[in-house]
Amino acid sequence: MSDSIYRAQGLVITIDGPAAAGKGTLCKALAKHYRMKYLDTGTLYRTLAYQLKTQGYVADDAAAGQRIAATMVDHYDFRHVGNNQFGVFWDDEDITHHIRSENMGGLASTIAPITEVRDAVVAFTREYVQRWQARTGVVVDGQDGGTVVCPDAAVKIFIDASAEERARRRHLDMQARGRDDSFEDILAAIKGRDQRDRNRPVGPLVAAEDALVVDTTQVDAAGVFELATQRVEASFS
Ligand code: C5P
Protein backbone atom coordinates (compact mmCIF):
# COMPACT_ATOMS: atom_id res chain seq x y z
CA MET A 1 0.00 0.00 0.00
CA SER A 2 2.95 2.36 0.42
CA ASP A 3 2.78 3.43 -3.24
CA SER A 4 -0.83 4.53 -2.67
CA ILE A 5 0.02 7.10 0.01
CA TYR A 6 -0.25 10.10 -2.27
CA ARG A 7 -2.60 8.68 -4.89
CA ALA A 8 -5.67 10.37 -3.43
CA GLN A 9 -4.30 13.92 -3.56
CA GLY A 10 -6.95 16.05 -5.25
CA LEU A 11 -9.68 13.44 -4.79
CA VAL A 12 -13.00 14.20 -3.10
CA ILE A 13 -15.21 11.29 -2.05
CA THR A 14 -18.73 11.99 -0.78
CA ILE A 15 -20.45 9.35 1.34
CA ASP A 16 -24.10 10.23 1.90
CA GLY A 17 -26.95 8.38 3.53
CA PRO A 18 -29.40 8.26 6.43
CA ALA A 19 -28.69 7.82 10.13
CA ALA A 20 -26.94 4.58 11.12
CA ALA A 21 -26.48 3.27 7.55
CA GLY A 22 -22.74 2.74 8.15
CA LYS A 23 -21.36 5.98 6.65
CA GLY A 24 -18.85 6.54 9.46
CA THR A 25 -17.43 3.02 9.24
CA LEU A 26 -16.93 3.32 5.48
CA CYS A 27 -15.51 6.86 5.65
CA LYS A 28 -12.96 5.94 8.32
CA ALA A 29 -11.88 2.85 6.39
CA LEU A 30 -11.46 4.84 3.15
CA ALA A 31 -9.65 7.73 4.87
CA LYS A 32 -7.24 5.29 6.49
CA HIS A 33 -6.67 3.25 3.35
CA TYR A 34 -5.98 6.23 1.07
CA ARG A 35 -4.47 8.50 3.81
CA MET A 36 -7.15 11.09 3.16
CA LYS A 37 -8.57 13.78 5.42
CA TYR A 38 -11.99 12.93 6.83
CA LEU A 39 -14.84 15.26 7.81
CA ASP A 40 -18.11 14.04 9.33
CA THR A 41 -20.56 16.84 8.53
CA GLY A 42 -23.23 15.33 10.80
CA THR A 43 -21.03 16.42 13.73
CA LEU A 44 -21.39 20.04 12.55
CA TYR A 45 -25.19 19.93 12.86
CA ARG A 46 -24.93 17.98 16.12
CA THR A 47 -22.42 20.49 17.54
CA LEU A 48 -24.70 23.37 16.60
CA ALA A 49 -27.65 21.66 18.28
CA TYR A 50 -25.53 21.08 21.37
CA GLN A 51 -24.31 24.67 21.48
CA LEU A 52 -27.85 26.03 21.05
CA LYS A 53 -29.02 23.83 23.90
CA THR A 54 -26.15 24.62 26.29
CA GLN A 55 -26.37 28.35 25.50
CA GLY A 56 -30.09 28.27 26.37
CA TYR A 57 -31.69 28.68 22.93
CA VAL A 58 -34.53 26.63 21.48
CA ALA A 59 -33.44 24.29 18.68
CA ASP A 60 -35.33 26.16 15.94
CA ASP A 61 -33.90 29.61 16.74
CA ALA A 62 -32.69 30.43 13.22
CA ALA A 63 -30.89 33.66 14.18
CA ALA A 64 -28.95 32.02 17.03
CA GLY A 65 -28.23 28.97 14.85
CA GLN A 66 -26.84 31.17 12.08
CA ARG A 67 -24.77 33.22 14.54
CA ILE A 68 -23.20 30.19 16.19
CA ALA A 69 -22.69 28.44 12.85
CA ALA A 70 -20.76 31.47 11.58
CA THR A 71 -18.31 31.17 14.50
CA MET A 72 -17.64 27.46 14.06
CA VAL A 73 -14.45 28.11 12.19
CA ASP A 74 -12.99 29.62 15.40
CA HIS A 75 -14.23 26.98 17.86
CA TYR A 76 -14.98 23.64 16.20
CA ASP A 77 -12.44 20.94 15.48
CA PHE A 78 -12.85 17.39 14.17
CA ARG A 79 -9.73 15.37 14.64
CA HIS A 80 -8.21 11.93 14.80
CA VAL A 81 -7.79 10.90 18.43
CA GLY A 82 -5.99 7.60 17.82
CA ASN A 83 -7.00 4.05 16.95
CA ASN A 84 -8.95 5.28 13.89
CA GLN A 85 -11.35 7.14 16.19
CA PHE A 86 -12.32 10.80 15.70
CA GLY A 87 -13.26 13.37 18.31
CA VAL A 88 -15.23 16.61 18.16
CA PHE A 89 -13.86 19.58 20.06
CA TRP A 90 -15.24 23.03 20.90
CA ASP A 91 -12.51 25.36 22.13
CA ASP A 92 -10.45 22.26 22.86
CA GLU A 93 -13.16 20.77 25.06
CA ASP A 94 -13.93 17.22 23.94
CA ILE A 95 -17.71 17.24 23.29
CA THR A 96 -17.82 13.95 21.34
CA HIS A 97 -19.74 12.11 24.03
CA HIS A 98 -22.36 14.88 24.33
CA ILE A 99 -23.13 15.12 20.64
CA ARG A 100 -23.25 11.40 19.85
CA SER A 101 -26.57 10.67 21.61
CA GLU A 102 -29.68 9.85 19.56
CA ASN A 103 -31.32 12.80 21.29
CA MET A 104 -28.70 15.17 19.83
CA GLY A 105 -29.10 13.49 16.42
CA GLY A 106 -32.81 14.30 16.62
CA LEU A 107 -32.15 17.91 17.63
CA ALA A 108 -29.63 18.20 14.80
CA SER A 109 -32.30 17.14 12.30
CA THR A 110 -34.58 19.85 13.73
CA ILE A 111 -32.10 22.64 13.02
CA ALA A 112 -30.80 21.12 9.76
CA PRO A 113 -33.70 22.44 7.61
CA ILE A 114 -33.01 26.09 8.59
CA THR A 115 -31.63 27.70 5.42
CA GLU A 116 -29.27 30.08 7.26
CA VAL A 117 -27.83 27.21 9.28
CA ARG A 118 -27.35 25.01 6.21
CA ASP A 119 -25.70 27.86 4.27
CA ALA A 120 -23.19 28.39 7.08
CA VAL A 121 -22.43 24.67 7.45
CA VAL A 122 -22.10 24.18 3.69
CA ALA A 123 -19.70 27.16 3.50
CA PHE A 124 -17.64 25.73 6.37
CA THR A 125 -17.51 22.31 4.69
CA ARG A 126 -16.49 23.72 1.32
CA GLU A 127 -13.66 25.70 2.92
CA TYR A 128 -12.50 22.58 4.71
CA VAL A 129 -12.55 20.58 1.47
CA GLN A 130 -10.68 23.35 -0.34
CA ARG A 131 -8.01 23.41 2.38
CA TRP A 132 -7.31 19.66 2.19
CA GLN A 133 -8.23 18.52 -1.31
CA ALA A 134 -4.88 19.22 -2.96
CA ARG A 135 -2.84 18.02 0.03
CA THR A 136 -4.46 14.72 0.97
CA GLY A 137 -7.84 14.44 -0.71
CA VAL A 138 -10.98 14.49 1.45
CA VAL A 139 -13.71 12.02 2.42
CA VAL A 140 -16.92 13.92 3.24
CA ASP A 141 -19.52 12.11 5.34
CA GLY A 142 -23.02 13.60 5.16
CA GLN A 143 -26.38 13.81 3.48
CA ASP A 144 -25.94 16.45 0.77
CA GLY A 145 -22.24 16.00 -0.07
CA GLY A 146 -22.79 14.68 -3.59
CA THR A 147 -25.75 16.93 -4.39
CA VAL A 148 -25.00 20.33 -2.80
CA VAL A 149 -21.63 20.62 -1.04
CA CYS A 150 -19.36 18.93 -3.59
CA PRO A 151 -21.38 18.30 -6.76
CA ASP A 152 -18.11 17.85 -8.70
CA ALA A 153 -16.73 15.11 -6.42
CA ALA A 154 -15.08 12.36 -8.46
CA VAL A 155 -16.51 9.58 -6.31
CA LYS A 156 -20.02 9.68 -4.83
CA ILE A 157 -21.50 6.86 -2.81
CA PHE A 158 -24.93 6.75 -1.21
CA ILE A 159 -25.42 4.08 1.42
CA ASP A 160 -28.79 3.05 2.73
CA ALA A 161 -30.42 0.26 4.76
CA SER A 162 -33.91 -0.43 6.04
CA ALA A 163 -34.96 1.57 9.12
CA GLU A 164 -35.30 -1.70 11.08
CA GLU A 165 -31.75 -2.81 10.22
CA ARG A 166 -30.34 0.61 11.12
CA ALA A 167 -32.24 0.61 14.42
CA ARG A 168 -30.95 -2.89 15.17
CA ARG A 169 -27.35 -1.73 14.63
CA ARG A 170 -27.83 1.44 16.68
CA HIS A 171 -29.40 -0.64 19.47
CA LEU A 172 -26.42 -3.04 19.56
CA ASP A 173 -24.05 -0.09 19.49
CA MET A 174 -25.81 1.56 22.45
CA GLN A 175 -25.91 -1.68 24.42
CA ALA A 176 -22.16 -2.03 23.88
CA ARG A 177 -21.79 1.46 25.36
CA GLY A 178 -23.87 0.48 28.41
CA ARG A 179 -27.08 2.31 27.43
CA ASP A 180 -30.47 0.68 27.75
CA ASP A 181 -32.62 2.59 25.19
CA SER A 182 -35.31 0.24 23.83
CA PHE A 183 -35.26 -0.97 20.23
CA GLU A 184 -38.76 0.50 19.70
CA ASP A 185 -37.65 3.96 20.86
CA ILE A 186 -34.58 3.87 18.64
CA LEU A 187 -36.63 2.75 15.63
CA ALA A 188 -39.17 5.53 16.21
CA ALA A 189 -36.35 8.11 16.50
CA ILE A 190 -34.71 6.88 13.28
CA LYS A 191 -38.00 6.97 11.38
CA GLY A 192 -38.70 10.49 12.64
CA ARG A 193 -35.24 11.64 11.59
CA ASP A 194 -35.61 9.99 8.13
CA GLN A 195 -38.90 11.77 7.62
CA ARG A 196 -37.37 15.19 8.45
CA ASP A 197 -34.12 14.56 6.54
CA ARG A 198 -35.70 13.24 3.33
CA ASN A 199 -38.39 15.93 3.19
CA ARG A 200 -36.60 19.14 4.13
CA PRO A 201 -36.85 21.72 1.34
CA VAL A 202 -33.12 22.56 1.34
CA GLY A 203 -30.39 19.94 0.82
CA PRO A 204 -32.70 16.96 1.41
CA LEU A 205 -31.30 13.50 1.92
CA VAL A 206 -31.27 12.08 -1.59
CA ALA A 207 -28.75 10.18 -3.74
CA ALA A 208 -26.97 12.22 -6.40
CA GLU A 209 -27.80 11.00 -9.90
CA ASP A 210 -24.20 9.89 -10.45
CA ALA A 211 -23.79 8.20 -7.04
CA LEU A 212 -23.17 4.51 -6.52
CA VAL A 213 -26.10 3.42 -4.32
CA VAL A 214 -25.43 0.54 -1.91
CA ASP A 215 -28.05 -1.05 0.32
CA THR A 216 -26.14 -2.19 3.40
CA THR A 217 -29.07 -4.31 4.59
CA GLN A 218 -27.63 -6.92 2.22
CA VAL A 219 -23.91 -6.09 2.19
CA ASP A 220 -21.59 -6.14 5.24
CA ALA A 221 -18.97 -3.48 6.01
CA ALA A 222 -16.20 -5.38 4.19
CA GLY A 223 -18.41 -5.74 1.12
CA VAL A 224 -19.27 -2.04 1.11
CA PHE A 225 -15.58 -1.14 1.44
CA GLU A 226 -14.78 -3.42 -1.51
CA LEU A 227 -17.42 -1.76 -3.71
CA ALA A 228 -16.26 1.70 -2.66
CA THR A 229 -12.57 1.03 -3.38
CA GLN A 230 -13.49 -0.30 -6.83
CA ARG A 231 -15.16 3.06 -7.51
CA VAL A 232 -12.15 4.96 -6.20
CA GLU A 233 -9.67 2.87 -8.19
CA ALA A 234 -11.73 3.45 -11.35
CA SER A 235 -11.54 7.19 -10.72
CA PHE A 236 -7.71 7.03 -10.76
CA SER A 237 -7.57 5.56 -14.25
O1 C5P B 1 -25.07 11.75 10.26
P1 C5P B 1 -25.58 12.17 11.60
O2 C5P B 1 -26.51 11.19 12.23
O3 C5P B 1 -24.49 12.55 12.54
O4 C5P B 1 -26.41 13.52 11.30
C1 C5P B 1 -27.23 14.10 12.28
C2 C5P B 1 -28.28 14.94 11.58
O5 C5P B 1 -27.67 16.09 11.01
C3 C5P B 1 -28.98 14.25 10.41
O6 C5P B 1 -30.09 13.45 10.82
C4 C5P B 1 -29.42 15.43 9.56
O7 C5P B 1 -30.62 15.99 10.04
C5 C5P B 1 -28.32 16.43 9.79
N1 C5P B 1 -27.35 16.46 8.69
C6 C5P B 1 -27.66 17.22 7.58
N2 C5P B 1 -26.77 17.32 6.56
C7 C5P B 1 -25.59 16.68 6.62
C8 C5P B 1 -25.26 15.88 7.73
C9 C5P B 1 -26.20 15.76 8.74
O8 C5P B 1 -28.74 17.82 7.51
N3 C5P B 1 -24.71 16.86 5.63
Side-chain angles (χ1 to χ4, degrees):
M1 201 178 64
S2 60
D3 64 340
S4 75
I5 284 180
Y6 297 111
R7 278 200 305 160
Q9 277 183 334
L11 178 66
V12 175
I13 304 175
T14 58
I15 308 292
D16 293 317
K23 289 173 293 176
T25 305
L26 176 60
C27 287
K28 282 188 255 184
L30 288 172
K32 185 173 182 205
H33 186 72
Y34 291 109
R35 308 283 209 274
M36 297 171 80
K37 197 78 179 168
Y38 167 43
L39 178 65
D40 176 354
T41 62
T43 67
L44 293 163
Y45 292 94
R46 286 170 180 267
T47 298
L48 276 178
Y50 177 67
Q51 287 303 325
L52 282 167
K53 190 168 175 226
T54 52
Q55 294 181 29
Y57 297 103
V58 289
D60 61 355
D61 188 329
Q66 183 181 22
R67 208 167 47 244
I68 298 173
T71 69
M72 291 194 91
V73 67
D74 301 318
H75 304 286
Y76 165 96
D77 194 21
F78 181 75
R79 65 174 109 104
H80 186 238
V81 289
N83 211 14
N84 213 24
Q85 297 300 313
F86 291 78
V88 178
F89 296 82
W90 187 269
D91 288 338
D92 274 334
E93 181 200 351
D94 186 347
I95 57 168
T96 316
H97 175 72
H98 298 293
I99 66 158
R100 282 291 172 207
S101 67
E102 190 51 45
N103 180 33
M104 212 45 77
L107 272 183
S109 74
T110 307
I111 60 156
I114 302 172
T115 307
E116 295 86 343
V117 168
R118 286 206 86 73
D119 286 350
V121 172
V122 168
F124 178 96
T125 308
R126 285 193 183 134
E127 268 176 41
Y128 189 94
V129 169
Q130 228 167 23
R131 197 168 348 127
W132 291 100
Q133 181 175 3
R135 283 194 249 176
T136 58
V138 191
V139 183
V140 184
D141 175 334
Q143 295 199 336
D144 57 351
T147 50
V148 175
V149 184
C150 306
D152 298 329
V155 177
K156 300 179 185 180
I157 300 172
F158 188 92
I159 60 176
D160 210 342
S162 69
E164 286 71 18
E165 173 61 17
R166 289 183 284 128
R168 191 187 67 79
R169 290 178 198 160
R170 187 55 51 96
H171 190 219
L172 285 176
D173 190 44
M174 285 189 165
Q175 281 180 329
R177 285 189 278 136
R179 300 198 35 169
D180 62 355
D181 309 48
S182 78
F183 172 81
E184 287 71 24
D185 286 351
I186 296 170
L187 180 61
I190 281 186
K191 284 185 170 169
R193 203 128 73 88
D194 279 1
Q195 163 77 10
R196 287 192 292 276
D197 292 347
R198 293 185 204 271
N199 295 305
R200 65 176 170 251
V202 276
L205 171 64
V206 63
E209 274 178 13
D210 50 348
L212 169 71
V213 179
V214 182
D215 186 340
T216 68
T217 315
Q218 321 287 347
V219 190
D220 66 8
V224 178
F225 179 70
E226 180 71 33
L227 290 169
T229 50
Q230 281 169 11
R231 264 285 166 126
V232 175
E233 298 296 325
S235 81
F236 290 146
S237 53

